[in-house]
Structures are given as C-alpha cells and as structure tokens.
Amino acid sequence: DAGVIQSPRHEVTEMGQEVTLRCKPISGHNSLFWYRQTMMRGLELLIYFNNNVPIDDSGMPEDRFSAKMPNASFSTLKIQPSEPRDSAVYFCASSFGRYNEQFFGPGTRLTVL
Amino acid sequence: AQKVTQAQTEISVVEKEDVTLDCVYETRDTTYYLFWYKQPPSGELVFLIRRNSFDEQNEISGRYSWNFQKSTSSFNFTITASQVVDSAVYFCALSGNGSEKLVFGKGTKLTVNP
C-alpha cells in the first residue's frame, strides 16, 4: 500500500504569495495530522482531523494559515500571505483508529524568500 | 501540560557499541501513549514503537529495545551493536489528555562512526 503522499516536495516562493500544500493519507486511515518542523521550535502539530472534521487547530499560528479536508483521501494546508518565518518542513501524517501510530509523509520543504 | 525531554542533544559512538537514548515525559493523564520515531538524513519520519501507559513490559525488536518505567516517567531506547545505518535523529513523543496530538521532544542526533 502506498504511504502518505505529499506534494509538492519542495516549494520556493516569495513573501506575500499564496502557498498550498497537499496531502493524501493512507487509504482507510481516519485521522490526518499536519506538523511543522523548524530548527527553533522542533516538531509541532498545526492541526488534526478525525473523520474529515477538524478536532484541534490550536497549533495553527495565525489567520494566514488554513487547512481543509474535503474528503477522506485529501487535505490541504494553505498559507496566505506567506512570510519568511513560515519557512519550514511541513509533514502530513495519518493514522487508523485513535491514539495509534501515525505514519508520516516525506514532507514539503517550504522556503519563503 | 504535556512535555517530553530528551536531554541528550547529540551522541557519537563507534560501530558495534551499545547506545541508550533517554526520554523523560511529563503528563497528568493516567492514560497516555508513548512513541519513538527515527528521522534519517533523508528527512522522513519513521515509526519505531508505540506504548500505552498500562503496559510497562519492556520490548525488544532485533537490536532495538525499549525500557518503560512509570516510576521515573522515562521511556528509554537502547540500540545494541550499533551500525552506521542507525545514524539519525531519534524523537520521543507523547499523546494523551484526550488528544491524538503528538508532543515531540527536541530529538537526539545519533552518529555511528565506522
């Protein structure tokens, strides 16, 4: 079975531009997570969905960030407008059931100039 | 609040040495879950193990073993006879408090030299 799929793998954009990151979870998984990894803050959760419903978005930095999960096989994380401090690796992960292991995608390395 | 501390920032060993990575956690929950993940230089996060708070049995998987001690709030990870391919950053993580969110430690970078 394919793992979690993320696109794009790398994104370089200029400050002020809109950025959309995409994620396809493992088929059959009902929870989806977005994490961000930076040198300063380490790995931190931005938001997670259970059965396509947002459960915890307390980690979303500010209104510039939004996430959607229109169906069980697709989620997006959007940053508008982007800022240099948003530069990070963004990981999507999925899991089956509750409190089970999360399987991570390869990540999207975002650079905002 | 939940917290995970990995006090060892970097460890360097020579191949075939045993190495233990420390993880100390803080939580007020009686039910919680502990995890270890590996992040090799290629950058992906690889799941290694999950433990719930009611299961204190140690676990062994090949050269990997885990020691969970509730009395000291620790969940340590030992690699026996380390190999160069074990070089990676290892993260300990915790979930609970009614949330599936993983709270990660800062990670320990392990370098195994030939």
Side-chain angles (χ1 to χ4, degrees):
Chain A
D1 188 16
V4 175
I5 299 172
Q6 290 187 248
S7 65
R9 294 293 308 277
H10 302 272
E11 177 81 31
V12 180
T13 190
E14 292 189 348
M15 183 174 64
Q17 296 298 305
E18 178 180 296
V19 174
T20 299
L21 311 182
R22 296 173 177 79
C23 176
K24 177 178 169 54
I26 293 172
S27 178
H29 283 191
N30 59 335
S31 292
L32 182 140
F33 307 81
W34 284 100
Y35 291 89
R36 179 171 68 176
Q37 185 176 32
T38 61
M39 289 296 293
M40 291 297 294
R41 299 176 65 91
L43 275 157
E44 52 183 354
L45 178 82
L46 299 176
I47 185 171
Y48 84 89
F49 297 84
N50 187 255
N51 293 323
N52 312 337
V53 176
I55 302 299
D56 183 351
D57 65 354
S58 59
M60 296 286 264
E62 49 200 89
D63 292 346
R64 297 185 299 107
F65 284 68
S66 62
K68 293 182 180 179
M69 190 164 187
N71 58 60
S73 59
F74 183 65
S75 177
T76 59
L77 178 67
K78 186 175 294 187
I79 309 173
Q80 165 64 14
S82 57
E83 296 182 2
R85 60 188 166 129
D86 302 331
S87 297
V89 179
Y90 291 81
F91 287 101
C92 177
S94 70
S95 69
F96 175 73
R98 296 204 72 197
Y99 304 107
N100 289 325
E101 54 269 28
Q102 297 175 21
F103 294 94
F104 284 74
T108 295
R109 182 173 294 277
L110 173 65
T111 302
V112 183
L113 303 174
Chain B
Q2 297 184 318
K3 185 179 178 182
V4 175
T5 301
Q6 294 180 257
Q8 304 150 308
T9 305
E10 293 193 39
I11 300 176
S12 182
V13 300
V14 177
E15 215 171 9
K16 297 185 183 177
E17 282 186 36
D18 298 348
V19 58
T20 295
L21 309 182
D22 297 333
C23 173
V24 174
Y25 61 91
E26 295 176 31
T27 180
R28 293 180 181 174
D29 300 326
T30 53
T31 302
Y32 53 90
Y33 302 83
L34 295 162
F35 304 80
W36 276 94
Y37 283 84
K38 173 182 180 180
Q39 187 172 42
S42 51
E44 72 270 27
L45 282 157
V46 179
F47 165 76
L48 295 178
I49 189 171
R50 167 188 177 272
R51 250 321 182 231
N52 73 54
S53 52
F54 298 108
D55 184 0
E56 282 194 78
Q57 272 195 324
N58 291 334
E59 179 149 345
I60 298 174
S61 176
R63 296 184 297 107
Y64 294 173
S65 62
W66 290 268
N67 180 259
F68 175 27
Q69 291 196 340
K70 288 177 76 170
S71 60
T72 55
S73 297
S74 65
F75 187 43
N76 296 337
F77 173 29
T78 297
I79 301 174
T80 302
S82 60
Q83 299 176 0
V84 172
V85 294
D86 295 327
S87 297
V89 180
Y90 291 86
F91 291 95
C92 182
L94 167 71
S95 71
N97 193 29
S99 172
E100 296 182 68
K101 155 186 169 178
L102 288 177
V103 174
F104 285 88
K106 294 296 187 185
T108 296
K109 182 178 180 180
L110 173 66
T111 302
V112 181
N113 298 297

